[in-house]
Amino acid sequence: MTDLFIRPLTRGDVDDVIAIQAAIIRRQPGQNWVMMLQDHTHHDYALSFVAQKDGQTVGFLVGEVKIGPFGQEHCGWLEMVGVSPKIMGQGVGQALAERFFEDLAERGIGDVFTSVQWHSGDMLAFFKALGFDRSNYINLQKQIR
Ligand SMILES: CC(C)(COP(=O)(O)OP(=O)(O)OC[C@H]1O[C@@H](n2cnc3c(N)ncnc32)[C@H](O)[C@@H]1OP(=O)(O)O)[C@@H](O)C(=O)NCCC(=O)NCCS
């Protein structure tokens, strides 16, 4: 998509990103989600972007640079990516991810991780299309109440 512009997420993008997320999940995101998003506009570890087309925000990617587990130095974490339902399937998600990968590479970071809900076949297909594969780690969960 030629007229697509990818730039870092700023505080001024928060309302637009909330609107895209609300359109995807068909309800307003909760307060914790909004706080997480706000944190990613200014924290050192955050590496997040929005996609704009014709002056409108049409997608977002929330990413981080983390100290890697098990002796790895730094790695990238792709926390969340979302595209306005009106414009899905037109390369916006891929463009956001490629910008994220480029910025990680510029920082000398060679590994990027993400996590997908087991029933999200579309997200899994998207990540596979970007070159993600199963990692050497498995997620564990324990219910404490
Ligand atoms: C998944 C998502 C981020 C992908 O962004 P997008 O701009 O729509 O996707 P792109 O056009 O960049 O797709 C890139 C590649 O990923 C794959 N892909 C993307 N969406 C896919 C889908 N729904 N099913 C299968 N493959 C898909 C395709 O291989 C595609 O390449 P192609 O079009 O050349 O075949 C976006 O569709 C989205 O936000 N979906 C909603 C996710 C959701 O439901 N979240 C709720 C929990 S937070």
Side-chain angles (χ1 to χ4, degrees):
M1 196 183 291
T2 50
D3 51 354
L4 194 67
F5 178 54
I6 310 289
R7 62 161 176 76
L9 173 79
T10 66
R11 272 177 208 274
D13 297 313
V14 165
D15 287 348
D16 286 344
V17 171
I18 291 171
I20 294 170
Q21 178 71 356
I24 293 171
I25 64 175
R26 297 188 197 146
R27 60 184 155 74
Q28 283 303 309
Q31 203 178 349
N32 288 338
W33 193 94
V34 173
M35 280 166 54
M36 175 282 300
L37 183 64
Q38 285 166 340
D39 281 350
H40 282 80
T41 63
H42 60 273
H43 269 302
D44 287 347
Y45 60 74
L47 195 56
S48 303
F49 301 93
V50 289
Q52 293 201 295
K53 188 178 185 305
D54 301 328
Q56 300 264 67
T57 303
V58 292
F60 65 92
L61 183 149
V62 175
E64 292 183 5
V65 174
K66 285 188 193 286
I67 303 293
F70 305 113
Q72 269 187 340
E73 270 300 308
H74 284 92
C75 65
W77 257 95
L78 198 163
E79 297 283 347
M80 211 176 314
V81 54
V83 172
S84 171
K86 287 179 264 176
I87 200 179
M88 281 177 186
Q90 297 182 37
V92 176
Q94 183 159 359
L96 281 159
E98 282 171 0
R99 173 64 188 271
F100 179 52
F101 301 154
E102 278 166 23
D103 274 40
L104 288 171
E106 277 171 19
R107 289 166 159 78
I109 295 170
D111 281 311
V112 56
F113 294 83
T114 194
S115 172
V116 181
Q117 283 184 298
W118 66 268
H119 53 76
S120 288
D122 54 347
M123 292 301 287
L124 193 56
F126 171 67
F127 284 126
K128 278 183 74 98
L130 295 177
F132 280 89
D133 205 344
R134 272 179 291 199
S135 80
N136 290 332
Y137 306 103
I138 53 173
N139 285 328
L140 302 179
Q141 178 181 6
K142 170 181 160 61
Q143 275 197 325
I144 52 175
R145 62 189 165 98

